[in-house]
Amino acid sequence: MIDPVTGSRLQFALTTIVHIIFPVMSMGLAPFLVYFTWKDIRTGKPIYEQLRRFWTRIFAVSFVVGTVTGIVLEFEFGTNFAAFSTTAGELFGGPLALEGMMAFMLEATFLGIFVFGRDRVGNVLYMISAVAVGVGTWLSAVWILIANSWMQTPRGYELATENGQTIVHLVDPIAAYANPRFPWMFVHMQNAAVESVALFMAGLGAYFVFRHHVWGYPIEDVEFWEVTLKIGIVALLITAPLQVLHGDLYARHIFETQPQKFAAMEAVWETDAYVPEYIVAFPTSLQDLLDPRAKDIFGIGIPGGASWLASGGDPQATIQGLNEFEGPQPPVALVFWAFRLMVALGFWFVLLAVWGGYRWWRGELLEDDLLHKALMGSTLLGIVAVELGWIVTEVGRQPWVIQDVLRTSEGVSSGLSGTEATVTLVGFAVVYLGLLALYTYVVVRIVRAGPPDVASVTPTEGSDATAPEVSGDD
Amino acid sequence: MTDPASLSSEPLFGLPLPDLWFGLLFFIFALFLFLDGFDFGVGVLFATRDDEEERERLLAAIGPFWDGNEVWLVVFGGAMFAAFPAVYANLFSRHYLLMFAILGALILRGLAPEMYEQRHDEAWQRWWGRAFVAGSLTAPFFLGMFTANWLFGATTIVTLPGIVVGLTVVALTVVDGVAFLRLKTRGELRDDLEPDGYYALAAYLALVVVTLGAVYWTAPALRPDLLSVPIAALVAVTLALAGVYAAATRTDRYYVAFGAVAGLVFALVALVAGLLYPTIDPVAGLTVESAVVSTLPLNLMSIGAAVLLPLVFVYFAVLYSAFSGPIEAGESY
């Protein structure tokens, strides 16, 4: 039997790691769907109806799986982290309740119209539904990240002890909820979601373009995939450089507000100046594999690089080492490597964007098979980068569940037994593996089926790009 | 509200906010049970239909609605977390495995129609159809168990009142599902559903009587409450609404029947809330007054709810009016 603390931590990690995939898909797809719907209604061109309907299918299945896995997360605060919920409920419960009322309700109701209602409502209400669903998915992120950012950089509260339990009291709602961490997280997360979907689109587009133009295997809807590829590259050209630039500033904010996490990201144990930025680093002895202390690391690094990045231009800047913090440390190796991989992927996506943009500009987009292969291989890497980023964020602030206020181990439900924790952990491992397999299966089927045939829906007679809008309303 | 500084010292407009939030919490729960209840009921009734086309119509009937309906459960959890965090923590961790049973049932129920529509071969649809029925049957059953365990202060998962109340809720969701489907379907299917509604209603009433009897004999502490005027009135209302439902169903007044089911659900939830009040968690010894958060967050949440909940009702009005009337040919899940 696993002890209840470890079991609860592993279970929360597993359920969030799986859940985040679906919001990334739905939040990332939202702006594209608003654009497709707008163009579909305004121009009446079949390609936009195809794009709208095809990507709505993927959005709908992502949303359903996101709903059912999201309820699990909300409940787990009560079931597994009851002590945390009691301590922080006054500050933490509000954003969750508002997320449900303001965001989740908006998306879930208008989703019904957006997915099922094209023939039942007029253009205006349909467009409103598309925007409402999109805004709803992003508002969800606002409230969830307000709650999360408070745990990273808590402010606006007072501590009291009531019935032997530490209770956080809200005293300054503006300080607490207009948290300095929030804008960093929100921009980084939302841009990452759009970037992940851009990579997903470019990867799928590249696959079919490659099969058609390079292999010569006839693909009926190749034009649809060419457009998908181009939309993906345009979105990548916007989001990929922004993510890298913003990420650099975000890391500096972490250095200033969560020095322990920053030290773990760079594996700095002793406080030092002129700290190098390791590109790759390996422990000199296998025993240090899970505890790569900087002095035992063989690495290739830029001298003064970490200091330079942390301070914003001063290679002599001092970085606080992990040894200065009392108590347990975060699992340094996991944070160190997750951070490096995420950054490497971020640069790789910039390269892909520039490469794709250049080939397109030269008119060689459909012929460069190496580019196609690179894009295909990167289809899911955006989501991988999001997972790595969240590992840095959440594992990096351990042992704290609320930074410097409450330890994660103190937040677990006191009445929870090892048996219960083990039963549900194993249950989730099985159910979520099945869920991921089913989701993959459904998305693959949707992709295989290709874009919907719209010729049969819109009357061909006299309807071209300039035809009056075809309304489903009567 | 004239002075922002008073937000942290006095309740908004001098209102009895803790009691209002207790009421709001159960109102949200009742709304969830009524709305998602017909989704569950349709799922149970799915088992009684063999015809491929009829099954398609059942799924199409709930397709646009169920996700929005289920969000009321999320809002229920959020509202409890925000207003009564100690109850949220105690209740959810005490019924640990039961909470995950509810979640498992909801995952199955939400996923199954999506999967069912993916492929049209027989074995695939048979199994996902069964999963849909299983999820739709167990979700209200476990929710009923949870409610009973909460009310009676049970410390174990499986209790006799829990099972009885679980079955009660299942019967009620079937009544709900029938009333909903008779609005959304036409022809033979609608006629076929009529007797199902009567059977489910009879089962519901019988189970309510058993539940009340169980409360009387097993929870002596609740006996005076049970015999109080408001509770007796709720029982009388339940009986009257059951009569309205049966009469409206017989005379094909579908909206009246659907409204009567809403009344039945709200009466049942009010009964639970009435028996519980002023306690909110009997095992942890928490009352509404002792478990509520401090004045400032409660005031803020009250402003939030007062602004947002009317908007949510607008969203629901738009959704339900866009899909009013029967399923049309060609509409599917």
Side-chain angles (χ1 to χ4, degrees), chain A residues 396-408:
Chain A
R397 71 171 145 132
Q398 300 304 320
W400 302 102
V401 64
I402 307 169
Q403 184 77 46
D404 301 325
V405 176
L406 188 76
R407 293 227 167 112
T408 312

Side-chain angles (χ1 to χ4, degrees), chain A residues 20-316:
Chain A
I20 194 63
I21 296 170
F22 313 111
V24 164
M25 290 300 287
S26 54
M27 292 189 305
L29 275 169
F32 293 99
L33 285 174
V34 169
Y35 174 72
F36 297 155
T37 306
W38 172 252
K39 294 294 276 186
D40 177 24
I41 289 175
R42 295 301 294 181
T43 68
K45 284 186 187 164
I47 181 72
Y48 290 112
E49 186 182 347
Q50 282 187 316
L51 283 166
R52 171 178 67 76
R53 287 174 55 186
F54 177 83
W55 290 104
T56 299
R57 282 185 201 158
I58 295 193
F59 182 90
V61 66
S62 308
F63 192 86
V64 165
V65 186
T67 303
V68 294
T69 53
I71 301 177
V72 170
L73 292 186
E74 190 198 25
F75 277 37
E76 275 176 334
F77 290 117
T79 51
N80 292 70
F81 294 93
F84 162 77
S85 297
T86 308
T87 298
E90 197 171 305
L91 257 127
F92 193 80
L96 290 201
L98 290 172
E99 190 250 352
M101 285 188 247
M102 187 189 278
F104 209 169
M105 278 296 186
L106 188 66
E107 26 180 341
T109 48
F110 284 98
L111 183 79
I113 296 177
F114 187 66
V115 172
F116 298 101
R118 188 64 193 100
D119 299 328
R120 281 207 180 229
V121 301
N123 284 337
V124 174
L125 183 52
Y126 194 73
M127 189 67 222
I128 290 174
S129 304
V131 174
V133 171
V135 169
T137 60
W138 282 48
L139 274 178
S140 256
V142 169
W143 288 107
I144 295 302
L145 293 178
I146 282 177
N148 189 288
S149 63
W150 181 79
M151 296 158 88
Q152 310 279 347
T153 48
R155 300 197 313 178
Y157 67 93
E158 254 169 25
L159 288 178
T161 306
E162 287 164 23
N163 306 321
Q165 188 134 28
T166 309
I167 303 285
V168 170
H169 281 300
L170 176 66
V171 289
D172 185 349
I174 294 171
Y177 296 135
N179 197 286
R181 174 60 59 84
F182 168 72
W184 293 108
M185 287 191 132
F186 185 71
V187 173
H188 209 61
M189 180 65 204
Q190 300 315 99
N191 195 57
V194 178
E195 189 179 0
S196 301
V197 168
L199 284 158
F200 191 75
M201 285 183 166
L204 288 188
Y207 172 73
F208 288 103
V209 165
F210 176 80
R211 288 191 19 142
H212 185 87
H213 290 287
V214 181
W215 271 8
Y217 183 91
I219 305 273
E220 206 181 319
D221 305 296
V222 74
E223 267 173 61
F224 172 86
W225 295 112
E226 286 170 12
V227 174
T228 301
L229 170 62
K230 286 176 180 170
I231 292 170
I233 289 175
V234 170
L236 203 57
L237 273 166
I238 299 168
T239 52
L242 179 64
Q243 193 71 354
V244 169
L245 290 173
H246 181 265
D248 169 49
L249 299 172
Y250 185 8
R252 210 165 297 163
H253 170 77
I254 291 179
F255 170 67
E256 285 159 11
T257 53
Q258 286 182 303
Q260 192 176 12
K261 182 192 281 182
F262 190 84
M265 282 156 63
E266 299 293 349
V268 179
W269 285 84
E270 300 298 337
T271 302
D272 205 356
Y274 204 63
V275 179
E277 175 67 34
Y278 289 111
I279 310 282
V280 286
F282 296 98
T284 45
S285 127
L286 277 182
Q287 280 174 333
D288 297 333
L289 199 62
L290 295 174
D291 185 14
R293 291 178 182 250
K295 62 175 161 33
D296 305 323
I297 282 178
F298 166 76
I300 304 166
I302 305 159
S307 292
W308 188 78
L309 286 171
S311 62
D314 176 15
Q316 299 293 346

